[in-house]
Amino acid sequence: MTIRRYYDDAYCTSFDATLLAVTEVQGQPALVLDATYFYLTSGGQPHDLGTLGGCAVTDVIAQDGQILHVLAAGESAPPLGPVHGVIDWPRRFDHMQQHSGQHLLSQVFVRETGCETVSVHFGAQESTLDLECATLSAAQLARVEQVANDLVAAALPITATLVDEAALATLPLRRPPAVRGQIRIVEIQAFDYSACGGTHVRNTAEIGPIKLLRQERRRGQTRVSFLCGKRAIADYMRKHELLVQAAAHYSTDVEQVPDLMGRAVEQIKAYQRQVEELTTQLLRYEAAELLAAAQPLGDWRVVVRCWDDRPADTLKTLATLLQAAPGTIALLATTAGDKTTLVFARSADVDRHMGNLLRATLQAFGGGGGGRPELAQGGGIPPAQAAAALDHARAGLG
Ligand SMILES: [Zn+2]
């Protein structure tokens, strides 16, 4: 059994131990020590990184009571015997801040909202608490965040002790422990008692700022994302910078940004409506010109036109306007963006099937499409053949 020294001292970053054996994990060398300060992934907290005998440790896992320190593939293990270990302290301390912050938050959620934590996850960017309760109000979340940060300022000591089952029964644990026998209890002085094997900061002040990010419903539970310590500070710095940039765009101060953005969005919507109306008006004029220049076909007239720069949507609107005029057939094409789109349309009083005409036309040129008797759309032919396809369709009308 590797002795887990991090239980007693989470702040030790450099240590001497004895390398007892070297094994392998998926082709990578793995070192077994008599004792270690390397934390292994457990209880949701990610493993430590660092070096052993100068070799980079990439993973730390438990196997048959031993702790395996996995080295990068291709690394050669140091010789058996004395070995020096160094823990990646910024990474470890970050995990300690997130983990202690989680214990504190879980207890604050119970006291302020009655919501129990059912599971936790410590991610590389954000950490999450899954709460057994319905969606929380913004006011509840704000209250939890404020109380948690007040407790950070109070610098409550955080200690870990091993207790037996009899002593355990006297403690107000948030959740019953999953293991039996001697249990390690992490206590935030007189505030929270949790069965936990993780590494924790000395007092709540070292957690640093606590920021709740958002909540989301997941399988009947509420997942709250949060940041602690340096992560919260980095998040504040980044978001402050983003707000300052946004304010600079509006030549205003950050307080005005949400209002101005809201107004800008409304203005864009109004402009979009105006553009749509004006575009339709212009297309009406254009449809009238096209009708005036249409080719006669018995009692009907045929509009044949190919553009190289019009969106397919505009073509469809034009076709709709043209088919509103009695006795009209419209054979339209666009090759905008190197993509050919054909739209065929006819008035209600014209006895020709546009869907069939389009299908036959495109088949002749290697494309595909079809549609209803009065309106059809298709493509898939080379842009260079669009005009020829329209001529082919026009000839098909007789
Ligand atoms: Zn814990």
Side-chain angles (χ1 to χ4, degrees):
M1 282 276 271
T2 312
I3 300 167
R4 302 178 184 205
R5 296 245 188 256
Y6 56 79
Y7 277 160
D8 309 319
D9 183 1
Y11 286 80
C12 176
T13 61
S14 176
F15 66 98
D16 291 303
T18 303
L19 175 57
L20 299 177
V22 178
T23 173
E24 238 185 40
V25 174
Q26 292 173 341
Q28 295 174 236
L31 313 187
V32 180
L33 310 182
D34 60 335
T36 189
Y37 281 92
F38 273 87
Y39 187 77
L40 73 157
T41 298
S42 58
Q45 184 181 327
H47 63 83
D48 284 332
L49 293 176
T51 59
L52 276 174
C55 302
V57 174
T58 59
D59 199 2
V60 188
I61 58 175
Q63 201 173 79
D64 306 327
Q66 305 284 20
I67 293 178
L68 304 185
H69 304 74
V70 184
L71 306 183
E75 280 266 32
S76 39
L80 299 186
V83 68
H84 187 67
V86 177
I87 307 288
D88 175 344
W89 175 244
R91 174 181 163 95
R92 159 72 79 74
F93 187 65
D94 169 58
H95 292 155
M96 287 158 64
Q97 286 186 315
Q98 311 312 313
H99 200 152
S100 298
Q102 175 264 309
H103 282 213
L104 184 71
L105 271 175
S106 287
Q107 182 64 251
V108 176
F109 269 112
V110 171
R111 296 191 184 204
E112 296 296 325
T113 70
C115 296
E116 295 282 352
T117 299
V118 289
S119 63
V120 299
H121 174 73
F122 300 103
Q125 266 89 42
E126 298 175 8
S127 302
T128 57
L129 292 175
D130 286 346
L131 300 169
E132 205 157 45
C133 62
T135 306
L136 297 162
S137 69
Q140 278 177 306
L141 290 172
R143 169 84 188 145
V144 166
E145 191 173 283
Q146 186 58 59
V147 170
N149 280 291
D150 287 347
L151 291 163
V152 166
L156 302 177
I158 301 177
T159 51
T161 43
L162 284 174
V163 301
D164 56 28
E165 285 183 43
L168 199 65
T170 67
L171 294 176
L173 287 186
R174 262 190 294 111
R175 301 181 71 196
V179 287
R180 295 186 68 82
Q182 281 231 315
I183 306 282
R184 184 170 185 261
I185 297 297
V186 172
E187 176 185 355
I188 300 174
Q189 195 178 64
F191 182 71
D192 182 67
Y193 300 82
S194 299
C196 178
T199 54
H200 289 270
V201 295
R202 290 189 192 100
N203 60 62
T204 55
E206 289 195 16
I207 295 169
I210 296 177
K211 181 72 195 126
L212 302 184
L213 297 174
R214 76 190 80 84
Q215 65 172 328
E216 56 194 306
R217 290 294 289 166
R218 273 178 80 91
R219 295 185 214 106
Q221 293 160 357
T222 294
R223 173 165 290 185
V224 176
S225 306
F226 66 94
L227 301 172
C228 298
K230 281 185 88 166
R231 292 193 195 191
I233 294 167
D235 184 62
Y236 176 52
M237 288 170 76
R238 193 172 59 83
K239 284 178 180 162
H240 179 75
E241 181 54 32
L242 290 173
L243 253 186
V244 168
Q245 283 177 22
H249 279 301
Y250 293 104
S251 306
T252 183
D253 61 272
V254 294
E255 299 290 331
Q256 307 298 323
V257 169
D259 251 16
L260 285 170
M261 286 182 77
R263 267 187 270 160
V265 167
E266 286 310 309
Q267 212 163 39
I268 287 168
K269 281 185 194 162
Y271 286 151
Q272 276 171 341
R273 279 193 296 272
Q274 268 182 23
V275 166
E276 277 166 28
E277 278 169 29
L278 291 171
T279 306
T280 308
Q281 276 183 33
L282 271 175
L283 290 176
R284 270 187 226 286
Y285 284 113
E286 193 175 350
E289 280 174 18
L290 288 169
L291 285 171
Q295 308 164 15
L297 179 70
D299 294 339
W300 306 330
R301 54 192 162 175
V302 186
V303 175
V304 184
R305 191 67 191 266
C306 182
W307 293 275
D308 59 10
D309 59 349
R310 310 203 77 158
D313 279 354
T314 307
L315 225 61
K316 217 165 169 182
T317 309
L318 258 180
T320 311
L321 291 168
L322 290 168
Q323 72 182 166
T328 305
I329 296 173
L331 308 176
L332 311 178
T334 179
T335 58
D338 268 356
K339 189 170 172 267
T340 308
T341 305
L342 271 62
V343 178
F344 292 0
R346 61 131 168 101
S347 321
D349 59 342
V350 173
D351 182 21
R352 294 294 172 93
H353 196 298
M354 293 297 110
N356 292 346
L357 181 65
L358 185 79
R359 192 175 305 111
T361 305
L362 289 170
Q363 270 170 9
F365 288 85
R372 292 170 286 125
E374 66 277 15
L375 186 75
Q377 183 175 335
I381 63 171
Q385 294 189 356
L390 291 188
D391 289 344
H392 183 86
R394 169 68 187 84
L397 289 169

